[in-house]
């Protein structure tokens, strides 16, 4: 099957899919193409009507989009080890994934607010509410940091992508202080080749 993953280098959602592609050993089987979704490249919305990255085209079916659908498909096409079978390990991974996606959604909302509005038009209430969600989700992950140990899962991939995005776009907001277990876990996880190969800051 011919497959192509569309991504943008800074996108933390697309990064989850790029990490899965590498961890599921699909390099060489899936083409990749970087683009800027905000420039609405010609024809891209034929693949993803929503105009966002990531999207995955394949020659035996319509394109898939939304990072979790793309990740699950890539995992199934590859080694298939990143989503534990039904049971406690799966629910742990999906909880981590939900916390991480929540951090991303809140962070990207803040970034959009700051990018698209003049300083006087920025809603501080909206920004503070999103940052509260980020802080609480990071607290929750610190409280259950030991669940991040063990074989790599989609939950770990998503958490690492979210924490790395905070470093990339919100470097002035220190998340490590007060979260030593999470920081230690991330320091090790960030050395994986799939992480360094997809790091927008490198
Ligand atoms: N929930 C989506 C979010 C994807 C997303 O928002 N991607 C951003 C880049 S970080 C994008 O392509 N934005 C372009 C736009 O919103 O038009 C997912 O998980 O794939």
């Amino acid at each position: 099957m011919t497959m192509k993953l569309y991504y943008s280098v800074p996108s933390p959602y697309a990064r989850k899919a790029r990490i899965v592609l590498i961890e599921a050993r699909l390099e060489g089987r899936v083409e990749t193409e970087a683009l800027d979704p905000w420039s609405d490249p010609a024809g891209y919305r034929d693949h993803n009507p929503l105009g966002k990255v990531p999207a995955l085209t394949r020659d035996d079916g319509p394109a898939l989009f939304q990072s979790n659908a793309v990740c699950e498909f890539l995992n199934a096409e590859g080694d298939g080890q990143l989503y534990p079978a039904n049971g406690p390990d799966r629910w742990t991974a999906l909880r981590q994934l939900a916390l991480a996606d929540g951090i991303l959604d809140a962070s990207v909302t803040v970034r959009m607010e700051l990018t698209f509005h003049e300083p006087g038009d920025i809603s501080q209430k909206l920004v503070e509410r999103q940052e509260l969600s980020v802080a609480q989700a990071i607290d929750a992950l610190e409280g259950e940091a030991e669940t991040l140990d063990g074989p790599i899962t989609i939950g770990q991939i998503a958490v690492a992508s979210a924490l790395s995005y905070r470093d990339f776009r919100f470097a002035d907001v220190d998340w490590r202080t007060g979260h030593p277990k999470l920081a230690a876990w991330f320091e090790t996880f960030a050395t994986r080749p799939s992480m360094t190969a997809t790091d927008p800051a490198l």
Side-chain angles (χ1 to χ4, degrees), residues 81-92:
Q81 306 298 313
L82 301 172
Y83 290 77
N86 283 349
D89 289 350
R90 181 176 180 84
W91 316 136
T92 296

Side-chain angles (χ1 to χ4, degrees), residues 1 4 10 18 23 48 54 56 65 77 129 161 186 192-193:
M1 191 198 314
K4 189 167 186 178
R18 295 166 68 207
E23 296 290 350
N48 182 356
L56 183 82
F65 39 85
E77 279 294 309
R129 186 166 172 78
S161 182
F186 178 67
R192 293 183 80 92

Side-chain angles (χ1 to χ4, degrees), residues 8 10-14 16 37-38 40 45 50-54 65-68 101 105 108 112 165:
S8 74
S11 169
Y13 301 100
K16 288 192 292 175
W38 294 100
D40 264 328
R45 282 183 194 263
L50 304 172
K52 295 175 191 269
V53 288
F65 39 85
Q66 206 284 339
S67 56
N68 291 327
D101 280 350
D105 292 346
V108 170
M112 296 299 101
Y165 186 69

Side-chain angles (χ1 to χ4, degrees), residues 4-191:
K4 189 167 186 178
L5 178 66
Y6 292 90
Y7 71 99
S8 74
V9 173
S11 169
Y13 301 100
R15 190 173 182 199
K16 288 192 292 175
R18 295 166 68 207
I19 295 169
V20 166
L21 190 157
I22 295 170
E23 296 290 350
R25 300 190 181 85
L26 284 168
E27 278 179 298
R29 279 183 56 199
V30 181
E31 276 180 63
T32 57
E33 183 176 326
L35 52 78
D36 173 11
W38 294 100
S39 69
D40 264 328
Y44 185 62
R45 282 183 194 263
D46 295 341
H47 301 315
N48 182 356
L50 304 172
K52 295 175 191 269
V53 288
L56 183 82
T57 56
R58 53 207 173 109
D59 57 14
D60 68 343
L64 291 172
F65 39 85
Q66 206 284 339
S67 56
N68 291 327
V70 172
C71 288
E72 197 157 346
F73 181 85
L74 288 174
N75 179 66
E77 279 294 309
D79 272 0
Q81 306 298 313
L82 301 172
Y83 290 77
N86 283 349
D89 289 350
R90 181 176 180 84
W91 316 136
T92 296
L94 294 186
R95 176 179 161 83
Q96 293 162 347
L97 173 60
L99 283 168
D101 280 350
I103 291 171
L104 289 184
D105 292 346
S107 301
V108 170
T109 298
V110 170
R111 192 164 157 76
M112 296 299 101
E113 185 70 12
L114 301 181
T115 304
F116 285 108
H117 292 126
E118 297 301 324
D121 295 333
I122 289 168
S123 167
Q124 285 307 326
K125 199 170 172 185
L126 176 71
V127 168
E128 280 164 21
R129 186 166 172 78
Q130 303 310 311
E131 286 298 300
L132 174 66
S133 297
V134 169
Q136 298 269 303
I138 290 176
D139 281 352
L141 287 167
E142 173 70 12
E144 53 203 71
E146 67 286 350
T147 68
L148 290 161
D149 294 333
I152 184 171
T153 66
I154 188 62
Q156 295 172 26
I157 290 169
V159 170
S161 182
L163 295 176
S164 181
Y165 186 69
R166 293 299 299 182
D167 284 344
F168 180 52
R169 293 297 199 202
F170 298 84
D172 54 325
V173 185
D174 169 27
W175 62 265
R176 287 174 174 78
T177 300
H179 305 106
K181 292 188 231 164
L182 192 59
W185 172 82
F186 178 67
E187 195 177 340
T188 302
F189 193 90
T191 63

